[in-house]
Amino acid sequence: MITAGSIEQQPTTRWVQRLDAWWRAANYLSVGQIYLLDNPLLREPLQPGHVKPRLLGHWGTVPGLTLTYAHLSRMIMRHRLDLMLVTGPGHGAAGLNAAAWLEGTYSECYPEIAQDEDGMRRLFRQFSFPGGVPSHASAHLPGSVHEGGELGYSLAHATGAALDNPGLIAACVIGDGEAETGPLATSWHATAFLSPERDGAVLPILHLNGYKIANPAVLARMPRHELNSLLIGHGWRPLEVGGSDPHEVHESYSDALEKCVLGIQEIQAAARRGYGGRDRKWPMIVLRTPKGWTGPHEIDGKQVEGSWRAHQVPFAAVRENAHHLARLEQWMQSYRPEELFEQDGSPVPMIRDHRPLGTDRISAKPVAHGQVQRDLRLPDPATHAVDVPARGEVAAESTRQLGKYLRDAVELNPHNLLLFAPDEHASNRLDAVFDVTGRRWQLETEPGDDHLDRDGRVLEVLSEHLCQGWLEGYLLTGRHGLLSSYEAFAHVVDSMVAQHAKWLHTAARIPWRRPIPSLNYLLTSHVWRQDHNGASHQDPGFVDHVLNKRPEVVRVYLPPDANCLLAVADHCLRSHGLVNVIVSGKQPALQYLTADEAAAHCEQGLGVWRWASTDADGDTDVVLACAGDVPTQETLAAVQVLKEFVPDLRIRVVNVVNLARLAAPGQHPHGIDDRAYREIFTDAPVIFAYHGYPWLIHRLTYRRPGHDDMHVHGFHENGTTTTPFDMCVLNEIDRYHLALAALERVPRVAGRLGHVRQQLLERLAVHHDHIRRTGEDLPEIRNWTWTP
């Protein structure tokens, strides 16, 4: 490693004393949060009743976090930096709560937790306590855009925050346990995508304190020259800071950060003057300090500081064990709280002075609270609509139309809209965007490369984790974006979307956080048109996962055609505070609704397609419902099959775009009331052709009237390499199975059912033989169009 040298000052200089006092105060407040209910300033001897009955928290990472916070604050003051902090180590919020309280921001956001003794008592009591705050950096924490509970995403979030933020430095503390995760290991690729001309900078601080919860950390045990080579190979220039003597570390850390700030400014200045080379290395820090630093060195004869035992609560039996109680008091007194806090509990002037002013404070960054954002300027979806002179006759690639809309959106929003894809943007038919921009790329280019652009608005990397993490960081700092992915592989980020949805739900209840732009997914190359790739690419379950999350923040849309896709995408890009999932195929498909009809239908979320129904003049015999583009086509084809065999059958066709409309109002805010539901679905049996797993529709409608007569056809994991129509047949969402299911539930046609069933089964047999002989679907299937 490149070791940062000492600056020419003595350990007793004023800035070292002030910074060290702030650090001691933050550590004292952190220990108090983990342990104490009362007696926050130790004004009386510590008693068992002063200690929480359940001790929860993570001490081991805190001293490194508070140390870093103190030094970054000093850099902000020295250089007037626009700097935010992302903290990756899990459950380190005790130190971050303490820092925000010392900066005064915590009391501004939560006036009841004032900067006095009673406020300190409340700060301690609420931590990991019923009705309080968690031990990780959730949305309650001022200045945070990163949860910290699930490990692996901090560097991706910091990178997303830096995109299109040319004046921002996104400092990111990476825990050595977190550094072992796949998403974090991939996140080192940030240097290949961050533009020094138009983006901000990321400053990684890899904190190697040696241990995880019970094991050594891999990067901490890696030979230093190997770790150095690894980081340099990823485009970083590591500076090492380490030690266990606080004053020596303070000087070394200060010097290293100074070099990092100057290095970042030098790279950006050169690039913005037009002569920055591509062989630059972005500075970063490798920080080596003991785990649980400044805590008890040993307890009951076993090493704690500098070992895995410092990871969580160093000793837990404090109420029951008088020796442990005394050790806790000794530990807290070692920070000399009488030097740090006034008689009323407020920080002494030396500590109050060690903080930037106003919104320069790390915990008061407007960009971290959604308070810095611009709404998008979006084109009219109708300008890219497919002309539909007759329903179900014109074919179009829905996502190709969306690509044209996104092209115009990118042109209208050159600084606050980005598109992310795991190397599939063109494959997903969104390539019209490349008319006006390229793929972001900072490394070398070669002849034949396709649309690479140092400032491109499309970010492609073959990692769903990175695409999601970058997009989340971009959204959390007030900008807008869309992530397109193959449907089956969206599952890679299942836990990430779960964490983001939890964040949105919590943040919505915090008044000083402004709703951020929504997280928008486009899932295409979906299950019904992955016949060529086979079972590995056939999984529609991401929508089930999303709809399991808080209903206030999740939405799922299945537009049946291109014009509906345009209407839905426009709505989602304009929304805030949500996770929106859009499922739409990219293959040529029939188009049904004009632009105006599509807008109205999507606004309603579901509705009767009277033009496809035959029940206008009498009672409904059966309802054919559908959600998804392929199920919609098969449902309409089933209507024609039924009209052929049973011309007098009264059929109602219902198309669903917004799945949440099926839920009861108490289950989801988009749910329609029972009266409206019954008007649409009637009392007749319902045959529902659904894009995904059928039990999701049952779950959404189980409280609805007539649920016992709801019969859902969907994906049953019957997938393989076959033809498009055969995928439908294998899972019984094809026109023939749907028609048969409808007839089986209409008593008045029971006498004709045997003959019709036989003819439908014969058609399925013909299909079976044909595809195995020719390798393609029957012409009447391939060329089918809607006939009124």
Side-chain angles (χ1 to χ4, degrees):
M1 293 294 176
I2 303 170
T3 303
S6 298
I7 58 177
E8 297 300 320
Q9 291 176 302
Q10 297 300 315
T12 55
T13 55
R14 177 76 176 160
W15 77 262
V16 173
Q17 291 178 335
R18 185 170 63 185
L19 187 147
D20 189 70
W22 191 98
W23 182 50
R24 285 188 286 122
N27 289 340
Y28 177 88
L29 294 171
S30 301
V31 179
Q33 289 175 77
I34 294 172
Y35 281 97
L36 296 189
L37 278 175
D38 205 352
N39 193 18
L41 289 167
L42 302 181
R43 295 276 168 75
E44 57 181 290
L46 199 59
Q47 300 296 322
H50 298 150
V51 179
K52 295 178 180 179
R54 298 176 69 239
L55 300 178
L56 305 169
H58 290 66
W59 163 249
T61 190
V62 162
L65 291 177
T66 52
L67 177 79
T68 297
Y69 206 112
H71 278 274
L72 290 175
S73 294
R74 181 169 181 265
M75 287 296 113
I76 292 170
M77 291 184 284
R78 278 176 61 84
H79 295 281
R80 302 288 303 275
L81 299 178
D82 182 7
L83 183 146
M84 67 180 295
L85 176 62
V86 177
T87 52
H91 300 278
L96 302 171
N97 293 338
W101 189 84
L102 289 174
E103 287 192 316
T105 317
Y106 211 100
S107 300
E108 294 167 9
C109 294
Y110 306 102
E112 70 279 10
I113 304 179
Q115 281 191 313
D116 56 26
E117 183 175 8
D118 184 61
M120 189 186 299
R121 181 183 295 107
R122 292 171 181 265
L123 179 74
F124 290 1
R125 184 182 182 90
Q126 70 170 5
F127 182 79
S128 286
F129 201 78
V133 300
S135 64
H136 43 90
S138 67
H140 80 276
L141 178 66
S144 178
V145 296
H146 181 76
E147 182 79 8
E150 181 181 346
L151 302 178
Y153 313 124
S154 59
L155 187 52
H157 282 166
T159 302
L163 293 169
D164 288 330
N165 258 330
L168 181 71
I169 295 177
C172 179
V173 181
I174 301 159
D176 48 9
E178 181 186 25
E180 296 177 6
T181 66
L184 197 289
T186 309
S187 294
W188 294 115
H189 290 312
T191 57
F193 297 90
L194 281 171
S195 166
E197 290 93 345
R198 72 180 301 156
D199 296 330
V202 175
L203 174 57
I205 300 168
L206 177 59
H207 186 205
L208 301 180
N209 60 29
Y211 295 90
K212 306 185 290 292
I213 191 169
N215 291 301
V218 172
L219 294 190
R221 295 289 177 90
M222 183 182 289
R224 297 190 178 198
H225 71 279
E226 292 183 6
L227 177 59
N228 187 41
S229 297
L230 173 68
L231 296 171
I232 291 174
H234 280 300
W236 304 96
R237 178 170 62 92
L239 286 77
E240 182 159 318
V241 176
S244 58
D245 179 88
H247 282 203
E248 291 180 2
V249 172
H250 288 327
E251 293 195 356
S252 179
Y253 206 173
S254 175
D255 188 36
L257 282 173
E258 188 82 15
K259 291 178 179 177
C260 287
V261 170
L262 296 178
I264 288 169
Q265 293 175 340
E266 180 180 324
I267 289 170
Q268 291 178 333
R272 292 167 190 179
R273 287 196 296 267
Y275 56 83
R278 297 193 180 195
D279 59 348
R280 72 209 180 286
K281 303 292 182 185
W282 290 93
M284 63 164 291
I285 287 174
V286 176
L287 175 65
R288 297 179 186 268
T289 59
K291 194 173 188 74
W293 193 18
T294 73
H297 182 70
E298 60 82 27
I299 297 171
D300 297 335
K302 296 179 179 179
Q303 181 183 350
V304 176
E305 182 188 40
S307 84
W308 56 269
R309 295 185 183 88
H311 183 79
Q312 292 178 303
V313 179
F315 47 100
V318 179
R319 280 190 165 202
E320 302 79 12
N321 188 315
H323 173 66
H324 286 187
L325 183 68
R327 290 295 305 276
L328 173 61
E329 183 169 18
Q330 179 186 16
W331 176 15
M332 296 190 72
Q333 291 286 9
S334 72
Y335 296 115
R336 306 190 298 279
E338 68 281 359
E339 299 177 6
L340 309 175
F341 305 102
E342 302 281 13
Q343 188 64 30
D344 65 356
S346 62
V348 300
M350 180 167 59
I351 292 174
R352 289 201 304 270
D353 291 345
H354 183 77
R355 64 178 184 186
L357 300 177
T359 57
D360 286 342
R361 293 170 293 175
I362 292 172
S363 58
K365 298 297 294 182
V367 73
H369 299 158
Q371 295 169 3
V372 178
Q373 54 181 280
R374 288 201 314 270
D375 288 339
L376 290 174
R377 298 172 58 211
L378 292 173
D380 182 354
T383 61
H384 298 291
V386 176
D387 185 26
V388 183
R391 304 185 194 280
E393 292 186 2
V394 176
E397 296 168 315
S398 294
T399 56
R400 194 173 298 281
Q401 299 304 122
L402 178 62
K404 298 172 185 177
Y405 169 90
L406 292 174
R407 175 195 61 202
D408 290 359
V410 165
E411 255 192 324
L412 290 169
N413 302 275
H415 304 295
N416 67 326
L417 174 64
L418 287 175
L419 307 176
F420 300 83
D423 197 32
E424 296 158 358
H425 204 73
S427 171
N428 288 336
R429 312 289 199 269
L430 302 174
D431 46 310
V433 171
F434 296 134
D435 294 345
V436 297
T437 189
R439 299 174 173 93
R440 181 73 66 91
W441 189 254
Q442 305 302 317
L443 302 180
E444 293 299 323
T445 59
E446 296 181 359
D449 286 340
D450 183 39
H451 289 99
L452 297 186
D453 184 348
R454 287 174 66 80
D455 297 327
R457 310 306 295 163
V458 177
L459 283 90
E460 291 186 348
V461 62
L462 201 53
S463 165
E464 287 82 0
H465 285 122
L466 269 192
C467 291
Q468 168 98 8
W470 289 344
L471 175 55
E472 285 183 358
Y474 199 67
L475 301 174
L476 286 159
T477 48
R479 283 76 56 73
H480 307 257
L482 180 140
L483 192 164
S484 62
S485 172
Y486 278 29
E487 180 184 50
F489 305 135
H491 280 297
V492 173
V493 295
D494 272 0
S495 59
M496 292 186 76
V497 68
Q499 296 296 329
H500 190 75
K502 293 174 190 290
W503 177 281
L504 291 176
H505 179 250
T506 302
R509 297 176 293 177
I510 298 174
W512 43 267
R513 285 193 180 274
R514 182 180 170 190
I516 61 171
S518 296
L519 172 57
N520 300 310
Y521 293 95
L522 171 65
L523 306 186
T524 187
S525 297
H526 61 53
V527 57
W528 301 111
R529 293 310 306 267
Q530 280 297 319
D531 45 275
H532 57 299
N533 279 322
S536 65
H537 286 54
Q538 296 162 357
D539 187 335
F542 186 72
V543 297
D544 299 61
H545 174 67
V546 168
L547 283 176
N548 281 332
K549 306 310 161 193
R550 294 293 308 194
E552 297 89 342
V553 298
V554 294
R555 308 285 185 267
V556 172
Y557 301 96
L558 291 102
D561 65 5
N563 291 342
C564 288
L565 173 59
L566 289 166
V568 165
D570 183 76
H571 167 77
C572 292
L573 286 170
R574 295 179 191 275
S575 68
H576 287 71
L578 300 173
V579 174
N580 296 311
V581 180
I582 308 169
V583 185
S584 178
K586 67 183 183 182
Q587 302 294 342
L590 297 176
Q591 306 299 305
Y592 311 108
L593 304 182
T594 67
D596 290 342
E597 290 170 337
H601 181 52
C602 294
E603 176 69 24
Q604 186 176 347
L606 82 171
V608 178
W609 279 5
R610 292 186 298 164
W611 54 268
S613 303
T614 63
D615 66 337
D617 298 326
D619 293 337
T620 304
D621 288 319
V622 66
V623 175
L624 296 188
C626 48
D629 47 13
V630 169
T632 296
Q633 177 171 306
E634 289 307 303
T635 295
L636 294 174
V639 171
Q640 291 193 338
V641 170
L642 290 169
K643 288 164 67 175
E644 175 188 351
F645 286 104
V646 189
D648 60 330
L649 195 67
R650 296 185 292 269
I651 308 164
R652 173 170 294 190
V653 176
V654 175
N655 183 263
V656 179
V657 178
N658 180 350
L659 281 186
R661 301 293 272 171
L662 296 173
Q667 293 177 282
H668 196 285
H670 278 198
I672 60 175
D673 61 38
D674 280 350
R675 180 190 58 79
Y677 181 89
R678 188 180 290 274
E679 287 176 356
I680 292 171
F681 287 97
T682 75
D683 294 322
V686 178
I687 310 302
F688 201 126
Y690 171 53
H691 172 87
Y693 294 108
W695 38 89
L696 176 61
I697 301 301
H698 283 297
R699 180 167 69 83
L700 291 171
T701 61
Y702 82 99
R703 292 182 178 175
R704 291 299 198 176
H707 175 257
D708 288 346
D709 224 354
M710 171 75 73
H711 309 280
V712 186
H713 292 235
F715 186 64
H716 284 274
E717 288 293 333
N718 294 323
T720 184
T721 301
T722 186
T723 67
F725 183 68
D726 196 49
M727 277 294 299
C728 298
V729 172
L730 290 173
N731 293 277
E732 299 186 358
I733 72 155
D734 64 283
R735 60 201 67 182
Y736 302 127
H737 280 102
L738 294 177
L740 184 58
L743 292 174
E744 288 173 340
R745 289 167 177 85
V746 180
R748 73 179 183 85
V749 300
R752 288 176 275 178
L753 182 57
H755 295 290
V756 175
R757 183 196 303 275
Q758 183 62 34
Q759 293 179 75
L760 294 177
L761 293 177
E762 288 173 358
R763 292 190 181 186
L764 287 169
V766 170
H767 152 75
H768 179 274
D769 293 343
H770 180 83
I771 64 169
R772 280 155 181 78
R773 187 176 67 255
T774 67
E776 62 179 351
D777 287 320
L778 289 157
E780 59 264 36
I781 299 295
R782 298 198 312 270
N783 303 323
W784 179 86
T785 58
W786 170 256
T787 302

